Amino acid sequence: MVAASVTALSMSGQEATTLREKFKDHFFIGTAFGRHLHWEQGQPTLKLIDRHFNTISPTNELKWQPFQPKPDVYNHGPADAFVDFGKKNTMYVVGHVLFWHSQTPEWVFQDDDGNPLSREALLQRMRERVHFVAERYGSRINAWDVVNESIMGNGELRDSQWTRIIGDDFIEQAFRIADEELPKAVELIYNDYSMTGKRKRDGVVKLTVELKRKGLRIDGVGMQGHWSVNGPSIRDIEASIVAFSEAGVDVHITELDIDVLPRHPKMWSGNADTKLNLQQDPRLNPYRNGLPDAIQKKLAARYASIFGLLIKHSDKIKRVTFWGPTDKHSWLNGWPIKGRTNYPLLFDREGQTKPAFHAVMQLPTNSNSQKKDNSK
Ligand code: XIL
């Protein structure tokens, strides 16, 4: 075992036993979850979420495809339940996501005859979506990922139906619409993966600075944090946190999970397609029957160094959100190969704390700013 006991001291001098207490002076700490948690007998995972976290993101419920699968069909029930849960428990609720190339239905880009929409018509359709969620949720959703994954690894704009129809100012138009339609209290975020590479980092800084120069509002940059035990380096993560902060926005770590399984080269190179379904290969699923102690320790050490860095820069960081509450609920069991057994989070399949949890809880936290109050 890496760390058997919890000895973390909070500012008040009392031992913190939950993540929420531990980081209350530093940043919001949260998780994403899906609608199925409401159906669990006795709702143990929702209880765990309320105990440890003070911010939540929906894994799929607000994405365009599940939320509005057809022009006149709004499947908003699961999203309503998500927002209600967050508000009932006084949480910082994140809307994920307004505009993305993935999980967006084809009809969005087409007219009634199946022909590509004009730029004006697509902008109008984007506005209708934002208008709908603004009316329905207002500032009960505290922050929205306005655009997801639209800058490529080389720092250039991603080619997508959005850019093909709207043009190179797609991101700018998205932020303009979000600012005009949502209440001013709602924070606007640009969110992306692999944010630690230099060219992508520079591309996102450029985007942020340009949006601001044009008088548009962008409040945060989200670094997804789908990282692994082996990388990216702490130094590269740090360089991006500092660079985004210097561009004048809050940093959000939005989709944190640490992959312990061997990575397939197709996973994060190129476009990280969420529809990937690669061939089964037992060599890529080595821990079906449990995680060896050595890997458990490696994961704990990796989490400790990441959270050490996040604590160091907590004056720049608004929020840290895991992409899933427990290993059982992680999307990495199913992507990019179905049916693997992954261990990327702080709670195990039974909802019990892992050595990585204790490693995080034992970190000293009294070295940085006391200016925030993220208690519930
Ligand atoms: C994932 C969900 O967790 C899965 O349930 C779904 O099948 C695919 O999408 N980047 C994102 C998230 O911004 O929306 C993705 O979520 C994970 C990658």
Side-chain angles (χ1 to χ4, degrees), residues 53-94:
F53 299 114
N54 52 21
T55 175
I56 52 169
S57 304
T59 39
N60 292 296
E61 287 62 23
L62 280 164
K63 290 172 181 173
W64 202 322
Q65 170 70 51
F67 191 77
Q68 190 191 7
K70 298 197 178 129
D72 46 5
V73 176
Y74 279 92
N75 184 16
H76 54 71
D80 295 355
F82 161 80
V83 175
D84 288 347
F85 174 83
K87 289 297 113 176
K88 193 176 90 211
N89 297 301
T90 56
M91 291 173 165
Y92 177 89
V93 174
V94 178

Side-chain angles (χ1 to χ4, degrees), residues 32 36 58-60 63 96-97 100 102-103 145 148-149 191-193 224 226 254-255 257 268 272 274-275 323 329-332 335:
H36 50 276
T59 39
N60 292 296
K63 290 172 181 173
H96 175 77
V97 45
W100 189 22
S102 195
Q103 293 183 264
D145 290 335
N148 199 25
E149 304 183 350
N191 190 51
D192 213 326
Y193 63 90
Q224 288 188 1
H226 296 296
T254 55
E255 303 184 15
D257 45 24
W268 292 107
T274 51
K275 289 197 282 307
W323 205 245
H329 302 98
S330 171
W331 75 302
L332 292 176
W335 187 86

Side-chain angles (χ1 to χ4, degrees), residues 175 187-191 208 218-222 248-252:
F175 275 84
E187 290 164 57
L188 308 182
I189 298 170
Y190 175 78
N191 190 51
T208 307
I218 171 169
D219 303 295
V221 162
V249 288
D250 291 330
V251 175
H252 296 237

Side-chain angles (χ1 to χ4, degrees), residues 300-315:
R302 175 76 168 145
Y303 261 116
S305 51
I306 288 173
F307 270 85
L309 180 76
L310 301 181
I311 292 165
K312 175 178 169 194
H313 290 292
S314 65
D315 57 327

